[in-house]
Amino acid sequence: MTMTGKERIKKAFNCETTDRVPWVPFVGCHAGALLGYTAEEFFKSEEKMIRGVQKAIQMYQPDGIPVAFDLQIEAEVLGCDIAWADDNPPAVISHPLANGTKLEDLKVPTADQGRIKIVTEVARKLCQANPDIALYGLITGPFTLGLHLLGTDIFLKMFDENAYVKKLMTFCKDVCIAMSKFYLDAGCDIIAVVDPMTSQIGPAQFKEFVTPYMIEIFEYVRQQGGLSSFFVCGHAQQNIAVMCETRCDNISIDENIPLDYVRDECLKHNMSFGGNLQLTTVLLLGKEIDAQKNAIACIEIAGEKGFILAPGCDVPYATPPANLQAVAEIVCDEYKRQVAKTIAVEESSQMKLDLAEYGQADKVIVDIITLDSEACAPCQYMVDAVRKIAPEFDGIVQWREHKIKYRESLVFMASLMVRNIPTICIDGQITFVSRIPPKHELIAAIQDRINDKFRMRIQQRKAVINILSGDDEHTKMVQGNVAKAVQELGADVDIENISDPEIIASFGIFPAQCPAIVMTQYQMKSIKRVPEVVVIKEWIKNL
Amino acid sequence: MAKKIDIWLLSGYLGSGKTTALNQLLKQPMFADGRLALIINEFGKVGVDGKLIDEGDYAKFEINKGSIFCICTKTDLLKIFSNIIDNDLADTVIVEVSGVAEPSDIEQLITEDYLVQKLNVRANLCFVDAVNYTKVSAFMKNAVMGVRVADGIIINKTDLVSETIIKDLKDRLNQLNDRAPIVSTSFGKIDDGFLDSLNHVPASKAACLCPPLEMPVVSFSTDRIMKRSAFEAVIMALADNILRLKGNISFDDGHRFVEMVLSEKTETEPIEGFDKATSFTAIGWDIEQVKLQQDFEACFLEEELD
């Protein structure tokens, strides 16, 4: 039975079996980009945030999604100055505890302060509108919040004023618990404590300055019936083992940490884990197939237990939506995943054919690229469609299936630049992609190609009429008739009068057989390139 | 093939003097005479470091990154590098690397297909604050990593510490990275000859050239009394294994505030504000935490203060 996204996420968090891998795109200001809003417009408006996240839900088919990916909300309320940007979350640019504010004067925020009011209302409405999706309430982790409040002096004070740093961590923990309450009250299912700056410290400092506070936060979430995730990013591999001891339900990491390492550490504690699609090189700058390859690699490394597929961190504002949709496709569609996987495995090492001249044989060649028509329904329907109409062209059309489970077929597919399965190519041109054409469309497409070829043949044909002759009246009559025929047809034909007996003999004609006419036809087949053997073979077959 | 753009990376903990040094570099012929671009990136200082940089004839980019994640910063850096390349803005780029970023991340970014054809990391300079480096290095992973992958190390603010400390610090930095030349300076002054002499080793390789060092931190908070002679014997035996030590210690010959910076020790009257008579923290260097803990532990007498 198909699970809802929320059921899937909850089961994965509990390391139980799911019907497929759960998928959580960490969409923050990118949701604003989907509707053309700047990050500032997006994060300051309840209405825009709701519409943006709804748009992301519609486009990316997630099992879970964050309400707001902005780690400056608490800091802003607590007095940090904020610099806004159009295509990034805002930035903290001042640290009140480094500028004279006393820690004792800071108060744990209330639900109606600053943008906390906006995001909790967004959470409430998104939860109501999407009961089947797990909503993540993201809060700034205590160590990162501490850095926002104190600046990098925190590292000096760990030595100079150890007790002060612990007092600060206690305050930040209280803020985290308050924020967790606001999000849980609004209906969120998961509290994700995002603490990227912990990657700056080692396990000993983590245990001293992070662990006790995290344990309290996660315990609070558990008591309230929520699930918890610990997000970290950067080079934090050294801390994964101690993160597992904070008793959260899930750990989420980015591409800086090997997923197999996190898998092994988490599963030792029967703990769920997530990550680590590459944000910049793949999701932002790559193409759909790159995103799919990366997702498949993550899924395969992670295995079937306790894994949540997610980007390593907040998706960049300008990420092409098609890349995230491509990930959603292979998550939701096992068949598409198989196709992408096959391409992914082979593509990097394969040779490509030069098929620039492909399809110049007299016959029209219809290539069907499939996974395997015997094992895949759409492939079978596509092959059947072609098989049925081929007899109507009575020997003019030649078709063949290329099953990409075979390496040579995969090479052929890549050489034709085919990206989707199944696809029909007519004379090397991608014509029908992942769609079984109705009979009349397929016939029309092939007929168009036949007409094109006919036109090309006329245009490309070059002929010479050789008149092999003596010097007699018959020859003159032949020459006159040929000239008249060429003129009346308006044909592009050269006329050569040949009287040298040796040349005449080279045509296999005896002088006694003259006057004779030998026509020579030329066909241009290739210009400025070296055609592949497979292509030349096609030409030769038509001689 | 067109000449690649030289990239100079300036790394170091916030407060190590990178910005001051950058202003000095801008005046030196090596940079002042060419087409230069600056990329400024510091945690929690958006728009601030930018204002501290002297105005001049160069393109200046600040990474205005709300998100503090290193990965997201990469995205911005990529955009800026592309802008510089596509619009032919500079022959040399100085990147002031955030104190919380790993220089190796930036190098990794430059190995992307498009950028590697156009950019060349000329050298990675790491600034070390002579006053605070020994404090921060045990707590901040990147303070150590920055030194390990540097091609040249500049000990800054040397006017604020003694010659002994500078010499000791040089020795320690040399243990972290014996390949990079080290110079001492005040106010960020570096001469062109030093910069010319630097050879770049990619960060991924450089990080592996010296074995890692343990830098444990141990703390004591107790009313027990420490035997002075035992304590002196320990710090003498561990002269090469203590980076910092600071706190009140109740010795059998009196209650004192002790501070050690490398091998230099000072003592004053105890300071207020601690629950226990003995409250101190020590940062070790190339020593296991258990040994550091046990050696100090053995200095305590059985009796407690009344």
Side-chain angles (χ1 to χ4, degrees):
Chain A
M1 198 174 112
T2 308
M3 296 173 178
T4 66
K6 190 180 286 190
E7 288 168 344
R8 207 170 276 127
I9 295 273
K10 287 187 173 179
K11 281 194 177 293
F13 264 59
N14 289 318
C15 288
E16 294 169 23
T17 308
T18 52
D19 55 348
R20 64 162 171 77
V21 65
W23 152 237
V24 182
F26 295 149
V27 172
C29 59
H30 171 74
L34 294 176
L35 298 174
Y37 300 127
T38 64
E40 182 172 5
E41 289 168 340
F42 178 74
F43 281 126
K44 285 182 171 176
S45 160
E46 177 190 321
E47 180 256 339
K48 290 182 174 76
M49 285 184 74
I50 291 170
R51 283 183 52 215
V53 177
Q54 280 298 154
K55 183 74 180 171
I57 290 171
Q58 177 206 330
M59 292 177 75
Y60 304 144
Q61 305 169 62
D63 297 304
I65 200 160
V67 172
F69 209 125
D70 176 356
L71 299 189
Q72 286 63 234
I73 294 171
E74 299 94 324
E76 186 183 14
V77 167
L78 289 166
C80 295
D81 291 319
I82 298 288
W84 286 95
D86 286 348
D87 58 355
N88 276 317
V92 165
I93 56 167
S94 72
H95 314 289
L97 297 178
N99 298 329
T101 303
K102 288 193 166 63
L103 180 54
E104 297 74 33
D105 294 337
L106 295 180
K107 298 279 177 285
V108 174
T110 54
D112 58 353
Q113 275 186 282
R115 289 187 296 122
I116 297 173
K117 189 177 179 184
I118 295 177
V119 293
T120 48
E121 198 51 36
V122 171
R124 196 178 325 279
K125 288 179 178 160
L126 285 174
C127 289
Q128 285 165 2
N130 304 280
D132 291 340
I133 292 177
L135 267 290
Y136 281 57
L138 264 59
I139 65 174
T140 313
F143 194 71
T144 299
L145 184 57
L147 258 131
H148 278 327
L149 296 172
L150 181 58
T152 46
D153 280 358
I154 197 169
F155 296 109
L156 287 176
K157 287 189 186 293
M158 283 172 148
F159 177 73
D160 281 338
E161 295 179 60
N162 180 299
Y164 177 83
V165 175
K166 287 178 178 168
K167 199 171 160 191
L168 171 61
M169 288 299 105
T170 302
F171 171 76
C172 293
K173 176 262 299 176
D174 292 342
V175 175
C176 290
I177 288 177
M179 288 298 291
S180 301
K181 179 179 186 330
F182 303 151
Y183 274 124
L184 289 169
D185 287 350
C188 286
D189 307 282
I190 290 149
I191 297 300
V193 182
V194 191
D195 215 345
M197 299 314 276
T198 57
S199 65
Q200 297 290 326
I201 56 178
Q205 287 72 47
F206 187 100
K207 283 173 98 161
E208 184 174 2
F209 295 102
V210 180
T211 300
Y213 311 99
M214 284 293 193
I215 285 175
E216 273 197 59
I217 298 165
F218 295 134
E219 182 57 31
Y220 173 81
V221 174
R222 194 166 20 255
Q223 282 172 2
Q224 303 305 307
L227 291 167
S228 61
S229 178
F230 191 159
F231 284 17
V232 71
C233 71
H235 300 267
Q237 185 166 350
Q238 76 280 2
N239 290 334
I240 295 296
V242 285
M243 284 171 71
C244 287
E245 292 166 5
T246 59
R247 297 174 219 151
C248 53
D249 297 305
N250 168 277
I251 286 175
S252 195
I253 49 123
D254 76 10
E255 66 215 59
N256 285 307
I257 308 179
L259 189 58
D260 53 352
Y261 175 81
V262 176
R263 174 199 64 200
D264 294 346
E265 284 296 316
C266 287
L267 292 182
K268 260 195 264 177
H269 296 79
N270 202 35
M271 185 180 280
S272 166
F273 61 104
N276 62 351
L277 291 168
Q278 295 183 28
L279 287 169
T280 305
T281 49
V282 173
L283 293 181
L284 178 66
L285 302 173
K287 298 191 167 20
E288 291 111 287
I289 189 68
D290 302 320
Q292 290 182 326
K293 280 159 67 175
N294 187 209
I296 288 166
C298 290
I299 293 167
E300 302 226 318
I301 291 168
E304 294 179 352
K305 192 177 174 189
F307 178 61
I308 311 271
L309 179 67
C313 189
D314 184 14
V315 173
Y317 180 84
T319 300
N323 288 354
L324 292 169
Q325 287 175 306
V327 174
E329 267 186 4
I330 62 110
V331 167
C332 300
D333 189 330
E334 171 68 24
Y335 161 67
K336 285 184 177 165
R337 189 190 312 173
Q338 275 188 40
V339 171
K341 183 178 163 185
T342 312
I343 296 170
V345 169
E346 292 287 346
E347 197 178 47
S348 57
S349 59
Q350 71 199 335
M351 295 281 291
K352 283 194 179 176
L353 304 173
D354 177 4
L355 298 185
E357 309 290 337
Y358 189 71
Q360 292 198 9
D362 280 355
K363 284 187 177 179
V364 171
I365 309 296
V366 178
D367 292 299
I368 314 154
I369 321 295
T370 67
L371 195 58
D372 181 353
S373 62
E374 288 165 20
C376 140
C379 301
Q380 183 195 336
Y381 299 147
M382 192 172 261
V383 169
D384 284 348
V386 175
R387 184 187 287 125
K388 279 179 190 163
I389 58 97
E392 299 196 18
F393 292 95
D394 196 19
I396 300 172
V397 169
Q398 183 178 342
W399 69 273
R400 50 206 171 190
E401 180 185 358
H402 303 269
K403 301 174 181 180
I404 62 164
K405 64 182 182 182
Y406 301 118
R407 182 174 160 69
E408 61 272 21
S409 295
L410 199 66
V411 172
F412 186 78
M413 170 188 175
S415 305
L416 286 177
M417 314 292 279
V418 171
R419 287 288 183 200
N420 298 282
I421 302 292
T423 287
I424 291 176
C425 295
I426 298 178
D427 272 347
Q429 298 300 309
I430 296 169
T431 312
F432 298 104
V433 179
S434 300
R435 180 172 77 89
I436 318 299
K439 186 178 175 184
H440 69 276
E441 269 190 49
L442 185 54
I443 289 174
I446 294 173
Q447 189 61 57
D448 282 350
R449 180 59 188 161
I450 291 170
N451 294 346
D452 280 348
K453 279 190 144 170
F454 189 64
R455 205 174 295 121
M456 270 172 46
R457 281 185 63 182
I458 292 170
Q459 287 169 349
Q460 291 178 354
R461 185 172 295 164
K462 180 76 182 165
V464 177
I465 297 180
N466 300 287
I467 302 172
L468 313 178
S469 65
D471 185 19
D472 56 24
E473 277 304 308
H474 285 105
T475 298
K476 285 180 183 165
M477 287 169 67
V478 169
Q479 287 171 337
N481 287 350
V482 168
K484 190 175 181 191
V486 168
Q487 186 183 15
E488 287 180 2
L489 283 173
D492 181 17
V493 176
D494 293 332
I495 301 168
E496 294 279 343
N497 293 299
I498 299 169
S499 55
D500 184 326
E502 280 189 23
I503 299 174
I504 290 172
S506 73
F507 284 97
I509 304 291
F510 299 110
Q513 293 172 306
C514 290
I517 295 174
V518 177
M519 289 181 68
T520 312
Q521 285 181 299
Y522 301 93
Q523 276 185 300
M524 185 268 290
K525 288 291 191 187
S526 174
I527 298 170
K528 283 187 176 176
R529 62 178 82 237
V530 182
E532 290 288 332
V533 173
V534 65
V535 176
I536 297 171
K537 279 181 182 173
E538 292 296 328
W539 299 338
I540 293 170
K541 284 181 199 168
N542 288 300
L543 278 178
Chain B
M1 198 170 110
K3 189 177 179 304
K4 290 184 180 182
I5 298 170
D6 276 339
I7 308 290
W8 292 82
L9 300 174
L10 268 53
S11 65
Y13 169 71
L14 184 67
S16 59
K18 281 178 291 177
T19 307
T20 310
L22 179 54
N23 279 328
Q24 290 291 335
L25 291 176
L26 293 174
K27 295 174 191 153
Q28 293 178 212
M30 186 170 182
F31 296 103
D33 296 347
R35 294 190 312 141
L36 182 69
L38 304 183
I39 302 176
I40 299 160
N41 162 223
E42 188 55 88
F43 169 78
K45 292 281 177 185
V46 176
V48 176
D49 269 13
K51 286 176 193 150
L52 295 176
I53 304 295
D54 296 342
E55 290 303 320
D57 185 19
Y58 43 75
K60 187 165 75 179
F61 301 91
E62 286 179 65
I63 295 182
N64 180 6
K65 192 71 213 183
S67 176
I68 48 194
F69 312 108
C70 46
I71 290 284
C72 309
T73 310
K74 272 190 198 173
T75 309
D76 278 4
L77 267 175
L78 196 69
K79 278 191 221 165
I80 295 170
F81 280 137
S82 298
N83 183 8
I84 291 171
I85 293 166
D86 295 345
N87 296 302
D88 189 24
L89 297 179
D91 300 318
T92 305
V93 178
I94 300 177
V95 184
E96 187 185 358
V97 183
S98 158
V100 297
E102 286 221 9
S104 58
D105 279 346
I106 293 171
E107 283 216 51
Q108 193 191 358
L109 179 79
I110 292 171
T111 60
E112 295 297 327
D113 286 349
Y114 170 62
L115 297 179
V116 78
Q117 308 292 331
K118 312 279 185 180
L119 306 177
N120 168 56
V121 179
R122 176 62 189 82
N124 175 4
L125 299 177
C126 181
F127 289 80
V128 168
D129 170 356
V131 181
N132 286 321
Y133 185 78
T134 47
K135 277 187 205 171
V136 83
S137 54
F139 295 98
M140 197 179 185
K141 196 166 56 101
N142 283 345
V144 174
M145 187 52 76
V147 168
R148 294 182 75 88
V149 303
D151 301 314
I153 299 167
I154 296 111
I155 304 179
N156 205 0
K157 304 186 182 177
T158 50
D159 53 315
L160 301 176
V161 296
S162 69
E163 286 296 323
T164 311
I165 288 178
I166 295 169
K167 184 184 170 301
D168 275 2
L169 182 56
K170 272 187 183 171
D171 288 346
R172 305 300 167 101
L173 296 172
N174 197 48
Q175 286 177 50
L176 287 176
N177 180 347
D178 61 4
R179 164 186 70 78
I182 303 173
V183 288
S184 305
T185 182
S186 296
F187 309 107
K189 288 176 189 160
I190 315 160
D191 68 51
D192 279 359
F194 175 76
L195 297 173
D196 274 337
S197 72
L198 301 178
N199 292 312
H200 178 59
V201 173
S204 56
K205 189 178 168 195
C208 309
L209 293 178
C210 288
L213 285 170
E214 291 278 325
M215 273 185 261
V217 181
V218 294
S219 293
F220 296 87
S221 182
T222 176
D223 282 331
R224 288 179 295 164
I225 298 166
M226 187 171 269
K227 193 166 194 275
R228 163 70 79 172
S229 57
F231 175 78
E232 296 294 343
V234 165
I235 60 171
M236 186 173 287
L238 300 182
D240 294 333
N241 303 100
I242 295 175
L243 270 190
R244 300 287 289 224
L245 184 149
K246 183 179 176 182
N248 289 342
I249 301 179
S250 180
F251 291 112
D252 51 1
D253 62 355
H255 195 199
R256 306 289 285 166
F257 174 78
V258 182
E259 182 161 21
M260 284 181 69
V261 180
L262 297 161
S263 58
E264 198 168 85
K265 178 164 76 78
T266 53
E267 279 190 34
T268 57
E269 291 301 309
I271 59 171
E272 303 287 319
F274 293 98
D275 295 341
K276 304 284 184 181
T278 293
S279 293
F280 74 94
T281 299
I283 302 174
W285 172 269
D286 196 16
I287 183 171
E288 287 185 11
Q289 179 161 17
V290 173
K291 176 165 172 51
L292 189 63
Q293 184 92 31
Q294 284 176 346
D295 282 7
F296 281 121
E297 191 65 41
C299 300
F300 287 110
L301 299 170
E302 288 304 312
E303 72 243 57
E304 290 194 2
L305 285 177
D306 293 332

